[in-house]
Amino acid sequence: MEIGFIGLGNMGFPMARRLIEAGHQLTVFDTRKEAADKLVALGAEAASSPKDVADRCETVLASLPSLQASLEVATGPGGVIEGKRVKRFVDLSTVGSQMASKIQGLLAERNIVQIDSPVSGGVGGAEKGTLAVMVSGPRADCEAVKPALGVIGKVFFIGEKPGSAQTMKLANNFLSATAMLATSEAVVMGVKAGLDPSVMIDVINAGSGLNTASRDKFPRSVLPRSFDFGFATGLMVKDVRLALEEMKSLGLSMEVAEAVGRLWEVIIRDEGAESDFTVAIKPIERAAGVVVGGAKGIHAAK
Ligand code: NAD
């Protein structure tokens, strides 16, 4: 397929690379020229703007870091909406159901179909093509883009209602955000009491406490204290805020989600939006007066 791809960051770059490797013809754009250049070296064509991408391709994918970026790229001046050839805009970003519906409505005025397609599974999943790809939009258009989306992961059709895949994604990321905090509190409790955090993680992963933080994030980025998992704190906080908004708009009051939301606001305030989200343990450590892990994965009490 001829595919346009806008936003070549932590997620977009490996997804675009897989599409090239699978034989698709890619036209790419990113405000960071160096990111596009690397894909051109792998066989993609460079475009000069989102409109330029949409002038050349019927299907345009995007993986962007904020709601505003998705709105501007899709519907702003020089955006996909002005493209001559484009038929479908597939947003792989997490923007929440309200923004997805807004973009869907604006694009529909120009007969461009918006397909929601948020993904889960992190940078590793994007590299291996094992993401969970949640799709909502008109069924026929979702089918039409399946050959491309199947290259980046397992495709789940969520529904035709605009934004429903975003609701699915927010439910997933609320759980991921919660697991990161709950695992941090559990391990800090153990370390404060004198337990070895490496042993704790092994036990949790062999037991009923197993979750994606204990399985992936702690061994890879927390215990070695590399804090380099590849997902920014700012993006995690965006998703947690979106999940809370979604719950409120449905008239729900969610006690766990509100506690999780409050703690992530402390993390972004103390550690900054650019930090990797695995730093979530640091404010919890500071409050407890311990540090988890280290070069040998052995705990050290302050
Ligand atoms: P990122 O910040 O690494 O990449 C975003 C890219 O978009 C950058 O290369 C940036 O230069 C580019 N960009 C920004 N504004 C642009 C514009 N106006 N026009 C063109 N390019 C523009 O972010 P990411 O981690 O790749 O995340 C992208 C999306 O995927 C987010 O919605 C995020 O929530 C979601 N997501 C991320 C992960 C993860 O593990 N990183 C996992 C699942 C979903």
Side-chain angles (χ1 to χ4, degrees), residues 4-66:
F5 206 116
I6 302 169
L8 308 165
N10 284 333
M11 295 296 282
F13 185 87
M15 289 192 273
R17 183 175 53 201
R18 285 193 67 81
L19 287 164
I20 294 172
E21 285 166 359
H24 297 287
Q25 270 177 272
L26 254 68
T27 302
V28 297
F29 174 72
D30 194 294
T31 41
R32 291 182 305 119
K33 187 176 172 301
E34 66 275 15
D37 287 347
K38 276 199 240 160
L39 283 163
V40 170
L42 298 173
E45 285 186 21
S48 58
S49 67
K51 175 189 181 308
D52 188 22
V53 175
D55 277 340
R56 303 198 218 169
C57 304
E58 288 187 355
T59 299
V60 177
L61 274 54
S63 177
L64 294 159
S66 68

Side-chain angles (χ1 to χ4, degrees), residues 100-185:
S101 299
K102 181 173 177 177
I103 293 172
Q104 185 268 337
L106 291 166
L107 291 180
E109 290 171 13
R110 303 281 185 97
N111 291 321
I112 302 167
V113 172
Q114 188 263 13
I115 296 175
D116 260 329
S117 187
V119 297
S120 177
V123 175
E127 281 164 356
K128 292 196 281 278
T130 57
L131 295 169
V133 184
M134 297 154 256
V135 180
S136 59
R139 199 181 261 278
D141 289 280
C142 293
E143 282 299 320
V145 297
K146 217 171 161 186
L149 297 181
V151 172
I152 60 173
K154 184 169 181 190
V155 180
F156 296 89
F157 181 73
I158 307 298
E160 294 220 314
K161 186 176 154 199
S164 50
Q166 290 290 337
T167 307
M168 179 65 244
K169 164 71 181 173
L170 294 180
N172 177 80
N173 272 33
F174 162 56
L175 288 175
S176 168
T178 303
M180 187 63 217
L181 299 186
T183 308
S184 296
E185 289 190 345

Side-chain angles (χ1 to χ4, degrees), residues 2 92 108-109 165 200 239 241 260:
E2 283 179 9
L92 303 158
E109 290 171 13
M200 286 187 79
D239 294 354
R241 287 176 184 160
V260 167

